[in-house]
Amino acid sequence: MTLIAMICVHHGTHEAVHGTLYPAEGRHVTANLLLGAIGFANFGHNFIFLRWSHMAHHRYGRTKRDGLLVLDGDYSRSGTRGRLFYYASLLGQACITHELVGYLYLFNSRFHLLPRSFPKSCHDNPSYWAIQLSTALYTLLLFVLGGWKFLVCKSLFTLYWGAFQNTAHYGLEYGSANDKFASRTYRVAMWYERLIFRSGTYHLEHHVLPNVPGPCLDHPDVQQRVTAIVGFKPKPVCGLLTYWGDCIRQFRGPRSKEMSPMQWRSDTSR
C-alpha cells in the first residue's frame, strides 16, 4: 500500500510541476510550489530542479537536442556503453541521478555534472536552498522512522520511475522537428487512470496540452483541441495489460522491432 501511495503522490506532484494541481487563480503558483516541494521530498527530489528537467522534456519531446535525454534515442543505441545506460535508466538511474544532482547544485560549478546547463537563476537563490535542505531533513526523518522498510519502498519506487518514464514514447519516431509530441495515448481501467492522474496514460493529450489538468484530459473538448493541433484524431491503445506490456517490451532493447515509429499518429497495430 505504501508503494501505491508513493505512486499516487508522484503523479499528483507531477501535476504541481505543470501548475495544475492547485489551479485556483492568484494563489496557484505558491500553492503548487509548496505542494510540489512536499510531494517530491518523499522521493528525495528538489521540486525546482525536477520542474526544470521535466519541462525541457515537454519543450522538445523526441526532437534531437544536445544534452537532452531521449531514453531510446541515439545515445542508447551507440554500442555497449549506450545499452548499459539504457538498461540502467529502465531500472531507475534517472530517479537516483535527479536526487543526487539536486545536492550538487548547492556547490560551485565544478560539481555541476549535467550535460546541459541548469540556469544559475534557478538554483542560486534562497528558494532552491530552502527546498533542498528541507528535502534532506525530510529524507533523514523518513529513514529514521522507516528504517529498512523505507529503503525497500524507495527502491521499489525507483524501479517504477525507471520502467514507466518512457513507456508511452518507446519505439516512436525520433530526431526530427515534428517529433515534439510523439507519444502514445492509452485507455485503461478507470481506477488506474485516477491513481496516476490520467496524464500518464493520456500521454499524447498531455504533451499537446500540458497545462490541462490530467483528470480533464478525457473531456470531449480537450480531445477536439488535440485533434486540431496535431492534425489527426489520435487512436488510443486500449487495455491495462497492454499498457503494462508496452512497459515490459522496453527491456528487449532500445531498438523496437515490434512497434511502428508512426504508431502514435494513426496506427495502433503491433
Side-chain angles (χ1 to χ4, degrees):
M1 289 301 296
T2 301
L3 178 61
I4 293 175
M6 292 177 74
I7 291 172
C8 187
V9 168
H10 166 68
H11 286 281
T13 308
H14 165 260
E15 292 290 316
V17 166
H18 290 276
T20 56
L21 181 60
Y22 188 87
E25 291 292 334
R27 294 174 292 175
H28 73 284
V29 174
T30 301
N32 280 291
L33 176 62
L34 179 61
L35 293 172
I38 295 172
F40 272 141
N42 286 280
F43 317 108
H45 293 151
N46 185 302
F47 176 74
I48 292 176
F49 177 49
L50 263 291
R51 181 175 58 186
W52 168 79
S53 177
H54 185 70
M55 295 313 293
H57 167 63
H58 275 273
R59 188 174 301 114
Y60 304 116
R62 290 173 68 82
T63 59
K64 190 175 295 187
R65 300 279 299 191
D66 289 340
L68 184 66
L69 173 65
V70 175
L71 191 57
D72 53 324
D74 286 343
Y75 182 67
S76 65
R77 302 175 181 181
S78 57
T80 302
R81 181 182 177 186
R83 291 181 68 85
L84 287 174
F85 177 83
Y86 173 78
Y87 284 110
S89 296
L90 289 183
L91 294 174
Q93 171 271 140
C95 184
I96 298 170
T97 299
H98 276 77
E99 181 174 0
L100 296 178
V101 170
Y103 290 99
L104 294 180
Y105 276 88
L106 295 176
F107 306 102
N108 63 45
S109 59
R110 68 176 176 154
F111 295 103
H112 301 173
L113 305 178
L114 293 178
R116 53 197 168 96
S117 176
F118 180 35
K120 187 176 181 179
S121 60
C122 291
H123 63 84
D124 190 13
N125 59 71
S127 293
Y128 183 90
W129 276 73
I131 290 175
Q132 190 62 49
L133 294 177
S134 298
T135 298
L137 292 174
Y138 189 61
T139 301
L140 179 61
L141 176 63
L142 290 176
F143 177 72
V144 171
L145 295 176
W148 67 268
K149 294 181 180 178
F150 164 67
L151 295 179
V152 169
C153 290
K154 188 176 177 65
S155 298
L156 290 175
F157 174 79
T158 298
L159 294 174
Y160 172 83
W161 168 302
F164 282 95
Q165 64 176 314
N166 195 53
T167 297
H169 301 286
Y170 174 65
L172 299 182
E173 55 184 326
Y174 159 72
S176 76
N178 297 321
D179 298 340
K180 178 180 178 180
F181 300 136
S183 49
R184 281 179 290 274
T185 182
Y186 294 86
R187 301 294 182 268
V188 302
M190 185 64 70
W191 66 267
Y192 192 88
E193 289 185 1
R194 290 176 176 174
L195 175 70
I196 63 173
F197 288 75
R198 191 163 281 136
S199 60
T201 48
Y202 280 65
H203 209 61
L204 173 57
E205 290 88 345
H206 174 59
H207 269 266
V208 176
L209 297 172
N211 295 323
V212 172
C216 299
L217 292 173
D218 64 335
H219 288 188
D221 61 328
V222 172
Q223 296 294 312
Q224 291 177 3
R225 289 170 61 189
V226 170
T227 298
I229 292 172
V230 299
F232 58 89
K233 185 176 181 179
K235 292 185 178 181
V237 180
C238 297
L240 185 54
L241 292 180
T242 303
Y243 178 55
W244 289 342
D246 282 355
C247 176
I248 295 172
R249 284 184 185 89
Q250 298 175 104
F251 288 89
R252 295 182 178 180
R255 293 184 182 274
S256 172
K257 297 180 180 179
E258 296 183 344
M259 296 181 176
S260 166
M262 303 297 290
Q263 181 191 31
W264 71 284
R265 292 181 180 269
S266 60
D267 178 19
T268 59
S269 64
R270 289 293 187 272

